[in-house]
Amino acid sequence: DSGVTQTPKHLITATGQRVTLRCSPRSGDLSVYWYQQSLDQGLQFLIQYYNGEERAKGNILERFSAQQFPDLHSELNLSSLELGDSALYFCASNRGGGPNEQFFGPGTRLTVL
Amino acid sequence: KNQVEQSPQSLIILEGKNCTLQCNYTVSPFSNLRWYKQDTGRGPVSLTIMTFSENTKSNGRYTATLDADTKQSSLHITASQLSDSASYICVVIRRENTDKLIFGTGTRLQVFP
């Protein structure tokens, strides 16, 4: 158990809909990272937040957005969903500010029908 | 372009046998290299972290090597067990942005009895 929690575990929705994925980092961690892993593909970095502020952006679509709240939990919002958005979405956390190991949550499996 | 390539893509071995997974990278400037184990449908878990000056690092039956001159790393698994069946992901971190992980697409290992 990494100490990072993600909800929900599974999510099934229809095209065009909007969903919110939630992540609680390990206690004491200030940085949260979001990743997407499509079937049989590598992890793609989406976005990073550090202590409430956006720190780095990766291959995140304009239809996706994220935020980190004062209690340091983070939410990833996916809108106008398409079939190709079906994937595992992972959240990771660490103290931030350097090459510290990232601890990954169990992931949320999103299925868009 | 900063890339991480892994080989083989997939590997099947018998329980008790050894195997070696390869990782070649073009990431520069280099900060550190990590090997992660990812069980199907779960978040990656760190196995080893190696900096520029480290040639080898062990974690139980897992031994990682790094040749920073040729930009190659390997992960050797000794006396494989059924529980070693997973994807093994090589991750490289650039010195200029130590928060951003560059993932390889992984090697899927299956261990059969």
Side-chain angles (χ1 to χ4, degrees):
Chain A
D1 183 4
S2 67
V4 178
T5 60
Q6 290 186 249
T7 57
K9 270 191 168 177
H10 303 277
L11 199 49
I12 301 175
T13 188
T15 55
Q17 295 298 306
R18 173 191 169 94
V19 296
T20 297
L21 313 183
R22 182 188 168 104
C23 168
S24 292
R26 293 186 320 154
S27 176
D29 285 355
L30 300 179
S31 256
V32 169
Y33 307 77
W34 285 99
Y35 295 90
Q36 179 193 57
Q37 187 175 37
S38 301
L39 188 63
D40 291 334
Q41 292 201 10
L43 282 137
Q44 297 291 323
F45 168 68
L46 295 178
I47 197 165
Q48 178 206 357
Y49 276 82
Y50 176 77
N51 204 19
E53 306 256 334
E54 183 184 302
R55 178 90 167 234
K57 243 178 179 175
N59 304 319
I60 188 166
L61 300 172
E62 282 191 15
R63 300 183 286 109
F64 296 179
S65 65
Q67 53 184 329
Q68 186 178 27
F69 295 87
D71 67 352
L72 300 177
H73 90 270
S74 177
E75 292 181 355
L76 178 67
N77 301 297
L78 315 176
S79 62
S80 302
L81 285 168
E82 302 175 0
L83 295 177
D85 296 328
S86 296
L88 269 166
Y89 291 84
F90 289 103
C91 164
S93 77
N94 64 12
R95 288 197 198 93
N100 300 307
E101 180 179 348
Q102 292 185 16
F103 294 87
F104 285 80
T108 292
R109 182 175 292 281
L110 173 66
T111 303
V112 182
L113 301 176
Chain B
K1 191 176 179 183
N2 294 301
Q3 286 187 315
V4 178
E5 294 184 352
Q6 293 186 243
S7 62
Q9 205 169 19
S10 61
L11 185 60
I12 298 174
I13 61 173
L14 294 177
E15 188 179 12
K17 298 296 186 183
N18 304 335
C19 67
T20 300
L21 315 180
Q22 300 291 342
C23 172
N24 297 336
Y25 62 93
T26 58
V27 178
S28 181
F30 173 89
S31 174
N32 62 83
L33 183 147
R34 307 172 185 186
W35 284 92
Y36 281 85
K37 178 186 179 186
Q38 185 179 20
D39 292 314
T40 301
R42 307 190 72 167
V45 175
S46 178
L47 294 175
T48 63
I49 300 176
M50 302 179 70
T51 60
F52 184 87
S53 59
E54 293 176 299
N55 299 119
T56 185
K57 187 168 265 191
S58 292
N59 178 1
R61 295 179 297 101
Y62 301 103
T63 300
T65 65
L66 174 64
D67 185 336
D69 291 330
T70 61
K71 298 188 177 180
Q72 295 180 326
S73 176
S74 67
L75 181 69
H76 186 74
I77 304 175
T78 304
S80 61
Q81 299 177 358
L82 298 179
S83 59
D84 292 331
S85 295
S87 286
Y88 291 84
I89 305 170
C90 176
V91 180
V92 181
I93 295 88
R94 295 181 68 207
R95 194 167 354 110
E96 289 176 344
N97 183 350
T98 54
D99 286 320
K100 185 176 178 184
L101 277 58
I102 302 172
F103 290 83
T105 51
T107 292
R108 182 176 293 278
L109 174 66
Q110 292 177 277
V111 181
F112 285 109

